[in-house]
């Protein structure tokens, strides 16, 4: 007879008490998860999170209160969780999981790792550490009403990186600097501007007019006499933006006139840009102060409602106030100090809101509220507390299966916004086996990268390709040239002289092979170099064989669409023909309740992801999901980009 303790077998309860588990992240999902773990009977828990508590967290991260604002999430989550179960042993780390201190040996001391993260880089890292340590990982994420939980086990299931994730949407530099056509272009420009003025300068985030724009067929010598930029405040000089701003003492009027008057007039001299585009207007800051002088009642008082659109004069004043505040912060930090943009820092958010809206006005776009700008600038998807609670509960259920030795019964579970045809919001799917082509968990990870070896520097290989694209933390790179030439070393100072050299300077050419090692992640990747001189503008490299971010829309006609789309517009309904029905329980690869790496456009940009076989938990029926691009037109819907579509949020 099975002996029960509460609703669990005694053997499982004993296992919970003795098993040590790691929770990575103490945010929306992490708070719910930590509470669930201690109430279920887990006694040995370690939790790690680098963040501190912000006021905006309090509506869903219920382990935190107003008095905790500014404190470590991990530490406060531990203290609050112990009130549910004082006998639990919880260790909190206010640190980054990517710190080298948390190496493979650190991960090996756990029976189970549970992710509650909010960014792809950390997810990739934990995925690799668990593979190296051969420890089961439960991955999870939410996005609004959507959620997902899946289990990753080396050699048994897909790892987090087996399925390619869509790259965060980027925009050509010339679009950001010269020809913005959407509000997001102006918001990106404003974020770049913040860094150029107050933060760490990046040559790839220049905000001044781009004279190299291929659309601008103009002669700089001829335009010199045509530009009528001010000869006084804000006169255009092609020097560092930060250097120029410092020389003016960060004068708001001079900054305003350069950015919204002089630079715009300079753009207007590029005739070809405006043959098919709407011309812009220029603004002059002093008129704002004249207006205020004669209308002293006009003031924001800086009680800015997030939902309020202030209008032109309001954003002019907000620009002035935010510049003055940020200037004071720089002065307090001392000579050479830099600020870091944070969506939760009011002065930084005010600056981006004001600058973006002023640029929107100039380029004839409808201005946005602070709330809208913050959502786009921070790539924020609204978080729903109940979604976090459901996903946290599912994490614990999958954890109980793992600790019971029933890995084969684990599932990937999707939480949908609308019920499917079987009236189910939760859809379990059989775990897929590892991908033979995965560049992380394959037996011999290997990729082919297309680059121009004469234009790609070693520093770009290290930062853009190895760290950003392939998620390495501290890569070492050796050229397979028979000599074992070290191109990049993770040891400080050993190969820094190579950074400014081109790959071709080291004999790297079409067909060369590089071996990249990350000893922290216990990860080795072979890179085949494919030289090309035909990369698109602003594209530094391409990974050969990657699936496109978005499949072409399925071909269908309106009559067919109307015959299958009844009811809620958020769900694409399957065909009602006599053929075997296929459920439209679309696969979601959802990453977080407060993700920083994604916009709504990229959320819908992966409808080409292959759908998986899933087994219904009640009936045992199995249906094979096909790629959306191969579905029959009868299964199409005009709302293919709605929330119910395959989603990969990061």
């Amino acid at each position: 007879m099975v002996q029960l303790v509460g609703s669990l077998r005694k053997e499982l309860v004993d296992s919970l008490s003795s098993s040590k588990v790691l929770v990575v992240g103490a945010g929306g999902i992490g708070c719910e998860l930590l509470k669930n773990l201690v109430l279920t009977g887990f006694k040995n828990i370690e939790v790690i999170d680098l963040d501190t508590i912000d006021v905006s967290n309090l509506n869903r991260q219920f382990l935190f209160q107003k008095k905790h604002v500014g404190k470590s999430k991990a530490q406060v989550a531990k203290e609050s969780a112990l009130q549910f179960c004082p006998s639990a042993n919880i260790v909190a780390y206010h640190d980054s999981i990517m710190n080298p201190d948390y190496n493979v040996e650190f991960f090996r001391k756990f029976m189970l790792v549970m992710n509650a993260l909010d960014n792809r880089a950390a997810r990739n890292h934990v995925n690799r550490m668990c593979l190296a340590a051969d420890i089961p990982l439960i991955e999870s994420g939410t996005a609004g009403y959507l959620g997902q939980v899946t289990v990753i086990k080396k050699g048994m299931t897909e790892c987090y990186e087996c399925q390619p994730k869509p790259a965060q949407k980027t925009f050509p530099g010339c679009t950001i600097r010269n020809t913005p056509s959407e509000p997001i272009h102006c918001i990106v420009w404003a974020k770049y501007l913040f860094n150029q003025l107050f933060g760490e300068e990046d040559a790839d985030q220049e905000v001044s007019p781009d004279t190299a724009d291929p659309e601008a067929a103009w002669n700089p010598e001829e335009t010199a006499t045509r530009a009528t930029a001010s000869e006084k405040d804000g006169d255009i000089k092609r020097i560092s933006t930060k250097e120029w701003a410092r020389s003016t003492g960060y004068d708001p009027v001079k900054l305003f006139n350069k950015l919204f008057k002089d630079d715009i007039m300079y753009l207007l001299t590029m005739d070809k840009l405006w043959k098919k585009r709407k011309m812009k207007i220029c603004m002059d800051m002093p008129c704002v102060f004249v207006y205020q002088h004669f209308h002293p009642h006009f003031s924001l008082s800086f009680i800015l409602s997030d939902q309020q659109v202030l209008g032109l004069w309001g954003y002019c004043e907000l620009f002035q106030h935010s510049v003055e505040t940020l200037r004071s912060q720089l002065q307090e930090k001392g000579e050479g100090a830099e600020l870091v943009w944070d969506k939760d820092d009011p002065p930084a958010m005010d600056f981006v809101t004001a600058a973006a809206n002023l640029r929107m006005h100039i380029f004839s776009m409808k201005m946005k509220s602070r709330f809208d700008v913050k959502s786009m600038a921070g790539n924020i998807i609204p978080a729903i507390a109940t979604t976090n609670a459901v996903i946290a509960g599912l994490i614990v259920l999958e954890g109980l299966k793992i600790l019971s030795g029933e890995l084969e019964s684990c599932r990937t579970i999707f939480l949908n916004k609308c019920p499917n045809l079987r009236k189910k919001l939760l859809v379990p799917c059989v775990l897929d086996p590892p991908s033979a082509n995965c560049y992380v968990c394959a037996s011999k990870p290997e990729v082919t990268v297309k680059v121009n070896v004469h234009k790609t520097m070693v520093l770009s290989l290290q930062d853009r390709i190895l760290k950003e694209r392939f998620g390495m933390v501290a890569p070492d790179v050796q050229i397979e040239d028979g000599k074992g030439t070290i191109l990049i070393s993770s040891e400080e100072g050993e190969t820094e002289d190579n950074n400014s050299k081109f790959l071709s300077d080291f004999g790297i050419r079409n067909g060369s092979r590089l071996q990249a090692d990350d000893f922290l992640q216990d990860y080795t990747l072979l890179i085949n170099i494919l030289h090309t001189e035909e990369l698109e503008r602003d594209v530094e490299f391409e990974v050969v064989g990657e699936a496109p971010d978005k499949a072409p829309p399925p071909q269908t006609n309106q009559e067919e669409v109307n015959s299958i789309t009844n009811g809620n517009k958020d769900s694409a309904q399957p065909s009602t023909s006599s053929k075997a029905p296929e459920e439209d329980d679309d696969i979601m690869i959802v990453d977080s309740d407060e993700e920083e790496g994604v916009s709504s456009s990229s959320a819908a940009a992966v409808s080409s992801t292959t759908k998986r076989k899933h087994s219904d938990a009640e009936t045992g029926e199995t249906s094979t999901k096909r790629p959306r691009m191969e579905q029959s037109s009868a299964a199409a819907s005009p709302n293919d980009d709605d929330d119910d579509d395959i989603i990969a949020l990061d």
Side-chain angles (χ1 to χ4, degrees):
M1 183 175 178
V2 178
Q3 186 176 359
L4 297 177
V5 177
S7 59
L8 302 177
R9 299 192 316 274
K10 185 178 185 304
E11 297 85 350
L12 179 56
V13 172
D14 293 339
S15 178
L16 299 185
S17 299
S18 59
S19 297
K20 183 175 288 189
V21 298
L22 173 65
V23 176
V24 187
I29 295 176
C31 282
E32 290 282 354
L33 177 57
L34 206 55
K35 176 262 296 180
N36 288 349
L37 291 173
V38 295
L39 292 179
T40 304
F42 286 82
K43 298 295 185 182
N44 293 289
I45 306 167
E46 297 192 14
V47 58
I48 182 168
D49 197 303
L50 179 62
D51 287 346
T52 54
I53 299 164
D54 184 78
V55 173
S56 63
N57 303 145
L58 303 182
N59 70 329
R60 62 193 180 282
Q61 298 174 23
F62 75 101
L63 294 183
F64 309 142
Q65 300 175 31
K66 190 173 182 180
K67 64 182 180 181
H68 297 138
V69 170
K71 296 182 179 179
S72 162
K73 283 188 176 182
Q75 187 61 39
V76 174
K78 165 193 169 178
E79 295 167 359
S80 299
L82 285 174
Q83 296 181 36
F84 292 95
C85 181
S87 62
N89 176 32
I90 304 177
V91 179
Y93 302 92
H94 179 56
D95 205 352
S96 168
I97 192 62
M98 299 174 74
N99 187 315
D101 292 340
Y102 309 112
N103 54 23
V104 174
E105 291 305 314
F106 172 81
F107 277 81
R108 282 186 178 140
K109 69 182 182 180
F110 300 105
M111 290 290 292
L112 175 63
V113 176
M114 290 165 275
N115 264 356
L117 284 162
D118 64 357
N119 69 88
R120 186 184 300 178
R123 278 189 168 87
N124 289 344
H125 181 71
V126 174
N127 174 62
R128 296 177 189 190
M129 299 304 290
C130 288
L131 291 173
D134 198 9
I135 300 298
L137 168 66
I138 302 179
E139 181 59 81
S140 65
T142 65
Y145 294 101
L146 307 177
Q148 173 186 357
V149 173
T150 192
V151 174
I152 296 169
K153 181 66 171 71
K154 182 178 181 179
M156 293 182 60
T157 72
E158 282 186 340
C159 77
Y160 177 73
E161 296 170 84
C162 274
Q163 295 294 335
K165 309 293 189 298
Q168 183 173 347
K169 187 162 181 65
T170 58
F171 307 97
C174 53
T175 299
I176 299 299
R177 296 166 64 180
N178 290 359
T179 56
S181 58
E182 301 174 23
I184 186 63
H185 298 157
C186 299
I187 293 168
V188 171
W189 177 87
K191 287 179 66 176
Y192 286 178
L193 177 62
F194 178 91
N195 288 331
Q196 292 292 332
L197 291 175
F198 308 106
E200 182 179 358
E201 291 182 277
D202 186 337
D204 293 331
Q205 296 184 356
E206 182 56 67
V207 294
S208 297
D210 183 6
T211 58
D213 190 334
E215 280 196 78
W218 59 296
N219 186 332
E221 287 78 14
E222 294 178 4
T223 57
T225 58
R226 297 164 57 189
T228 56
S230 169
E231 295 179 359
K232 298 179 181 179
D233 295 340
D235 189 16
I236 296 176
K237 296 179 181 178
R238 300 302 152 194
I239 59 173
S240 160
T241 304
K242 181 178 288 187
E243 182 183 344
W244 179 86
R246 283 175 175 167
S247 71
T248 69
Y250 286 98
D251 186 297
V253 176
K254 293 180 179 180
L255 285 176
F256 186 99
N257 286 340
K258 178 194 185 302
L259 297 168
F260 305 116
K261 179 185 176 186
D262 297 340
D263 279 359
I264 300 305
M265 297 180 76
Y266 191 81
L267 278 176
L268 290 174
T269 66
M270 302 182 189
D271 295 346
K272 192 174 179 181
L273 287 176
W274 315 116
K275 286 185 178 180
K276 297 182 180 180
R277 293 185 175 92
K278 189 172 183 179
M279 297 289 281
K280 299 166 292 303
I281 63 169
C282 301
M283 295 189 293
D284 199 335
M285 185 72 163
C287 65
V288 178
F289 299 104
V290 172
Y291 185 90
Q292 286 180 296
H293 178 75
F294 291 105
H295 300 79
H297 63 279
F298 171 75
S299 176
L300 284 177
S301 300
F302 303 107
I303 304 174
L304 175 60
S305 168
D306 275 7
Q307 301 287 352
Q308 181 182 0
V309 177
L310 298 182
L312 176 59
W313 304 117
Y315 286 124
C316 286
E317 187 177 1
L318 185 62
F319 179 85
Q320 177 197 3
H321 177 74
S322 60
V323 169
E324 291 171 347
T325 303
L326 293 169
R327 177 179 61 191
S328 298
Q329 291 181 359
L330 272 180
Q331 291 171 347
E332 290 174 6
K333 286 178 173 287
E335 185 68 26
E338 294 176 342
L339 303 180
V340 178
W341 190 84
D342 185 342
K343 68 182 187 303
D344 294 319
D345 177 39
M349 195 63 240
D350 286 347
F351 176 83
V352 169
T353 299
N357 273 292
L358 291 170
R359 192 164 173 88
M360 288 180 217
H361 176 76
I362 287 174
F363 285 85
S364 306
M365 300 177 212
K366 185 177 180 180
M367 292 190 286
K368 298 287 184 180
S369 69
R370 191 177 192 273
F371 177 84
D372 291 333
V373 173
K374 184 176 182 179
S375 296
M376 288 188 273
N379 296 320
I380 300 169
I381 296 170
I384 309 297
T386 47
T387 308
N388 293 336
V390 172
I391 293 303
L394 292 172
I395 294 172
V396 174
L397 292 178
E398 295 303 305
L400 294 178
K401 296 177 188 177
I402 293 171
L403 295 180
S404 297
E406 301 174 4
L407 256 169
E408 67 282 353
S409 66
C410 290
R411 295 288 182 267
T412 294
I413 305 173
F414 302 102
L415 173 62
N416 290 327
K417 182 177 181 181
C418 301
N420 62 11
L421 288 184
R422 294 177 182 170
K423 311 299 183 185
K424 294 163 69 175
L425 284 173
L426 293 174
V427 182
C429 300
V430 174
L431 296 171
D432 284 334
S435 168
N437 298 321
C438 179
Y439 62 80
V440 174
C441 67
S443 57
K444 293 183 178 180
E446 187 170 342
V447 293
T448 298
V449 178
K450 188 186 294 185
V451 296
N452 186 330
V453 298
H454 302 300
K455 294 184 178 180
T456 302
M457 291 185 177
V458 172
L459 184 61
S460 293
L461 171 67
Q462 174 183 281
D463 292 346
R464 305 291 191 190
I465 300 178
L466 297 177
K467 290 185 177 180
E468 291 185 17
R469 177 59 188 81
F470 293 118
M472 291 186 169
V473 176
D476 291 89
V477 179
Q478 175 179 306
I479 306 173
E480 293 194 346
D481 55 2
K483 308 175 201 174
T485 303
I486 302 298
L487 187 65
I488 298 172
S489 173
S490 58
E491 295 294 328
E492 187 175 352
E494 286 192 1
T495 58
E496 289 181 0
D497 291 342
N498 296 346
N499 288 348
S500 59
K501 297 179 181 178
F502 297 106
L503 298 184
S504 57
D505 294 338
F506 297 88
I508 297 174
R509 58 185 185 276
N510 190 54
S512 293
R513 285 166 62 90
L514 309 177
Q515 178 177 310
D517 296 284
D518 190 314
F519 296 106
L520 172 63
Q521 298 177 343
D522 193 16
Y523 173 52
T524 298
L525 178 66
L526 290 176
I527 302 173
N528 298 301
I529 298 297
L530 186 61
H531 171 68
T532 181
E533 297 183 2
E534 299 178 353
L535 292 173
E536 296 180 8
R537 176 179 169 83
D538 293 326
V539 175
E540 291 185 83
F541 67 93
E542 290 180 3
V543 179
V544 177
E546 284 189 320
D549 280 354
K550 187 164 185 175
Q555 297 299 315
T556 185
N557 60 50
Q558 191 62 38
E559 182 176 342
E560 288 173 319
V561 167
N562 292 339
S563 71
I564 63 168
T565 53
N566 50 28
N568 194 308
K569 70 176 182 179
D570 289 326
S571 177
Q573 303 296 335
S575 170
T576 54
S577 68
S578 59
K579 295 180 181 180
E582 289 188 8
E583 293 180 46
D584 201 19
D585 308 324
D586 291 341
I587 297 295
M588 299 171 294
I589 303 175
V590 182
D591 277 340
S592 177
D593 70 307
E594 47 184 347
E595 205 56 62
E596 294 185 7
V598 81
S599 64
S600 58
S601 60
S602 64
V606 285
S607 57
S608 61
T609 303
T610 303
K611 296 184 178 181
R612 308 166 183 168
K613 295 180 181 179
H614 76 274
S615 176
D616 188 279
E618 297 173 2
T619 67
E621 295 178 13
T622 302
S623 63
T624 302
K625 298 292 187 177
R626 296 175 291 176
R628 178 170 296 277
M629 61 191 294
E630 295 176 3
Q631 286 181 345
S632 66
S633 60
S637 163
N639 299 296
D640 279 347
D641 286 336
D642 282 345
D643 288 342
D644 229 26
D645 272 342
I646 302 167
I647 295 180
L649 298 181
D650 269 289

